């Protein structure tokens, strides 16, 4: 990490290295997300197949075992990162073009600034939606794949799976690759909104009770807006990764640390 004596990365000088456009970016992200998730799940389930478990036993293990969920997270999120990296390399570009340049100390400050922006905005929007839409359920819970009574190794695996891995892989995919491609062909406002909408959409399907998880969709849409602001402000992805990790850690602490006391 360098000091902050030099000026921030000038992203326009890297824009010529974005060799994919809006439609390509959308298709690559959607296909990558779906295919890698499926491959990650099937690869994780090779262990139950090797053990000759029944389908019900294998499903229960996959949904409830910390090791299974950690393995799936590594395979799915890591796979997404390497697919995006491979595509960028294939298109004669580099990860620098999407914001993975040398980090600076002020990225930490901007990540903290993002916290100050994101949480109040989220609270205000949720309160407004609750007042305008009485049926808006703020009590819906998200399926996270780890027991809230996790301790020891299970707690550590949950921490890595929820707080460390997703912020890195998802920022590269969404605020890096997707947003850069959208911004190349579209007005910036549409690039911002489309990136946030695509990022929020999968979270709608993660309800622990079934149905649409609207609160997660609202949450991740707002989060994405702030993450893109940090991406634009710094020309890098690290502040976005930092805010994303801090937000996930707040949820992790609420579920696993505070909840169990």
């Amino acid at each position: 990490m360098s000091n902050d004596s030099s000026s921030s990365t000038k992203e326009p000088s890297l824009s010529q290295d974005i060799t994919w456009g809006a439609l390509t970016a959308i298709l690559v992200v959607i296909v990558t997300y779906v295919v890698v998730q499926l491959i990650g799940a099937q690869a994780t389930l090779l262990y139950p197949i090797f053990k000759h478990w029944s389908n019900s036993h294998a499903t229960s293990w996959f949904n409830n075992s910390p090791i299974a969920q950690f393995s799936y997270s590594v395979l799915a999120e890591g796979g997404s990162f390497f697919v995006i990296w491979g595509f960028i390399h294939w298109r004669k570009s580099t990860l620098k073009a999407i914001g993975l340049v040398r980090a600076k100390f002020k990225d930490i400050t901007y990540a903290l600034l993002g916290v100050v922006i994101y949480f109040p905005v989220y609270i205000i929007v949720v309160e407004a939606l609750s007042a305008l839409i009485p049926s808006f359920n703020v009590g819906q819970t998200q399926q996270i794949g780890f027991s809230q009574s996790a301790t020891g190794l299970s707690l550590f695996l949950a921490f890595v799976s929820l707080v460390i891995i997703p912020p890195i892989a998802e920022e590269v995919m969404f605020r890096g690759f997707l947003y850069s491609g959208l911004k190349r062909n579209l007005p910036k406002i549409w690039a911002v909104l489309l990136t946030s909408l695509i990022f929020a959409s999968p979270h709608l399907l993660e309800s622990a009770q079934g149905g649409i998880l609207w609160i997660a969709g609202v949450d991740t849409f707002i989060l994405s807006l702030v993450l893109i602001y940090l991406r634009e402000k710094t020309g890098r992805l690290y502040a976005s990764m930092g805010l994303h990790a801090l937000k996930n850690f707040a949820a992790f602490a609420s579920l696993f640390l505070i909840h169990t006391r």
Side-chain angles (χ1 to χ4, degrees):
M1 184 176 288
S2 69
N3 61 37
D4 197 34
S5 59
S6 61
S7 60
S8 61
T9 302
K10 294 181 180 179
E11 191 175 6
S13 65
L14 296 174
S15 60
Q16 61 184 347
D17 295 328
I18 304 300
T19 56
W20 58 94
L23 182 59
T24 299
I26 293 172
L27 290 176
V28 168
V29 165
I30 292 176
V31 171
T32 298
Y33 182 85
V34 173
V35 172
V36 172
Q37 296 272 331
L38 291 173
I39 293 175
Q42 293 304 312
T44 304
L45 287 169
L46 287 176
Y47 178 74
I49 293 174
F50 176 77
K51 299 290 287 187
H52 303 291
W53 291 349
S54 65
N55 288 338
S56 59
H57 188 185
T59 301
S60 176
W61 175 80
F62 181 82
N63 291 330
N64 300 295
S65 168
I67 294 177
Q69 288 298 309
F70 173 75
S71 300
Y72 171 69
S73 177
V74 170
L75 290 169
E77 301 285 5
S80 297
F81 176 89
F82 282 107
V83 169
I84 295 300
W85 173 82
F87 182 86
I88 290 173
H89 181 73
W90 176 62
R91 295 297 289 263
K92 311 296 184 184
S93 186
T94 67
L95 292 175
K96 289 182 179 181
I98 63 170
L100 286 179
V101 294
R102 179 176 293 186
K104 298 185 178 182
F105 282 112
K106 72 175 183 178
D107 291 329
I108 299 173
T109 303
Y110 275 110
L112 296 175
L113 172 63
V115 172
V116 174
I117 297 172
Y118 159 71
F119 280 104
V121 171
Y122 170 70
I123 292 170
I124 291 170
V125 171
V126 169
E127 289 295 326
L129 288 174
S130 299
L132 294 171
I133 309 172
S135 61
F136 185 71
N137 185 2
V138 299
Q140 288 178 294
T141 57
Q142 189 174 6
Q143 176 60 257
I144 58 173
F146 290 90
S147 170
Q148 290 176 253
S149 60
T151 57
L153 178 60
S154 295
L155 185 63
F156 174 76
L157 294 178
F159 175 80
V160 175
S161 299
L162 301 174
V163 179
I164 303 299
I165 298 176
I168 297 173
E170 292 176 6
E171 290 314 302
V172 168
M173 175 177 281
F174 291 99
R175 261 63 58 180
F177 177 81
L178 177 61
Y179 178 61
S180 297
L182 291 175
K183 193 171 60 168
R184 183 170 182 256
N185 298 132
L186 300 175
K188 186 176 291 186
I189 183 61
W190 285 110
V192 170
L193 293 176
L194 276 174
T195 299
S196 301
L197 182 62
I198 293 171
F199 175 65
S201 295
H203 295 84
L204 295 172
L205 307 177
E206 297 177 352
S207 174
Q209 296 82 22
I212 302 298
L213 189 61
W214 293 110
I215 187 67
V218 171
D219 179 12
T220 48
F221 184 85
I222 294 170
L223 177 64
S224 180
L225 297 179
V226 182
L227 294 171
I228 292 172
Y229 166 76
L230 297 178
R231 165 81 164 88
E232 284 287 334
K233 195 70 175 177
T234 65
R236 299 176 294 277
L237 286 176
Y238 305 111
S240 300
M241 290 177 182
L243 171 58
H244 199 151
L246 288 169
K247 188 267 180 185
N248 283 13
F249 177 75
F252 172 85
S254 175
L255 290 170
F256 295 95
L257 305 179
I258 299 173
H259 177 82
T260 56
R261 291 183 182 274

